[in-house]
Amino acid sequence: MTAWHESTLTERRYKMKIDVLTLFPAMFAGPLDESIVKRARETGLLDLKVHNLRDYTHDRHKTVDDKPFGGGPGMLLKPEPIFEAVDSLAREKTRVILLTPGGRTFDQAIARELTQYEHLLLVCGSYEGFDERVREHLADDGLSIGDYVLTNGALPAMVVIDAVTRLLPGVLGDDESARDESFSHGWLEYPHYTRPADFRGMKVPEVLLSGNHAEIAKWRVEQAKKRTKERRPDLLNE
Ligand code: 21W
């Protein structure tokens, strides 16, 4: 089978579009202009644009928040600017995702799932969060990155973008991708060492210097299991 057939049949879709809606667009300068995400953007595999929610207001003060009906502390994001922004940015195939503490907890399986969409619109939470009508009528999904309290959804959006981008076809080299697959079997990684074999009296385990590849493979599996049992027993029952 020729290379031409291969690439035709494996149906690799190139270029993902990600739009981000946030009150803090300046936070996104830096993390997404470095490393692998930078390369993905430069090679055209990722088309990323960050939009300021305030640009979708119409009043003089660019108001994006208001008090909750029924009382209580804090402010909520008003629905109008968010609906207007999503109406203007979303297209037929857009997946609209809220970054919100009450969302599904983001993990590697969700990252893989998100690579299947050609357009993501990430809407960052701020203040006490969203008016429920945004959740109910505008969003396709909601994501949290874990059980800790952040100031807003910008860092979570960057975490999602980073994790999804490196999974897009063509973003990692063949080497990196293959390595990645071999480590996604649910255990923590075994210990790694590089030269020197003796650094300030701290020695690399003898087996790794032995050249016995069967022994090395066995040692690595044992170490990975031991580590996982000690540090992440939750991974063993999945
Ligand atoms: C933090 C908004 C707390 C609202 C108890 C019940 C997006 C986030 C965010 C923020 C509250 C994510 C309250 C992990 C995060 C985010 C800002 C709610 C009142 N307390 N993933 N209700 N952690 N955070 N506070 O904080 O928008 S994804």
Side-chain angles (χ1 to χ4, degrees), residues 99-101 125 127-128 143-146 148-153 156:
L99 283 307
T100 173
Y127 309 110
E128 289 306 298
L143 296 175
S144 157
I145 61 164
Y148 34 81
V149 181
L150 301 169
T151 52
N152 63 74

Side-chain angles (χ1 to χ4, degrees), residues 38-125:
K38 176 187 187 176
R39 201 177 60 203
R41 297 176 77 178
E42 285 172 350
T43 59
L45 293 168
L46 172 68
D47 173 12
L48 175 71
K49 293 206 172 63
V50 180
H51 309 267
N52 193 334
L53 181 61
R54 285 197 198 277
D55 293 343
Y56 296 89
T57 58
H58 297 290
D59 64 308
R60 216 154 43 85
H61 302 289
K62 300 185 188 291
T63 312
V64 292
D65 61 333
D66 206 341
K67 297 175 302 218
F69 276 120
M75 299 289 269
L76 294 173
L77 288 168
K78 291 168 66 62
E80 301 96 312
I82 299 179
F83 270 79
E84 188 155 322
V86 172
D87 284 347
S88 134
L89 296 169
R91 303 189 304 241
E92 181 128 12
K93 296 196 174 165
T94 303
R95 184 79 168 168
V96 179
I97 302 173
L98 306 183
L99 283 307
T100 173
R104 302 195 281 158
T105 308
F106 185 66
D107 62 14
Q108 192 64 15
I110 296 176
R112 258 181 251 120
E113 179 192 318
L114 296 187
T115 62
Q116 301 308 306
Y117 298 99
E118 54 188 76
H119 184 204
L120 304 180
L121 176 44
L122 305 180
V123 186
C124 302

Side-chain angles (χ1 to χ4, degrees), residues 134-217:
V134 169
R135 222 181 289 280
E136 240 186 295
H137 300 285
L138 209 55
D140 299 306
D141 197 2
L143 296 175
S144 157
I145 61 164
D147 294 339
Y148 34 81
V149 181
L150 301 169
T151 52
N152 63 74
L155 287 169
M158 288 184 250
V159 166
V160 169
I161 292 165
D162 190 280
V164 171
T165 298
R166 62 184 293 289
L167 294 178
L168 298 175
V171 167
L172 294 186
D174 290 345
D175 250 38
E176 294 167 298
S177 301
R179 213 168 56 78
D180 204 50
E181 279 161 37
S182 72
F183 286 133
S184 47
H185 298 320
W187 288 338
L188 296 183
E189 285 195 38
Y190 53 75
H192 302 283
Y193 295 89
T194 185
R195 286 181 290 188
D198 182 338
F199 173 62
R200 299 186 178 179
M202 298 176 276
K203 299 204 172 53
V204 171
E206 201 63 48
V207 61
L208 297 178
L209 312 176
S210 69
N212 184 336
H213 295 291
E215 278 299 311
I216 291 171

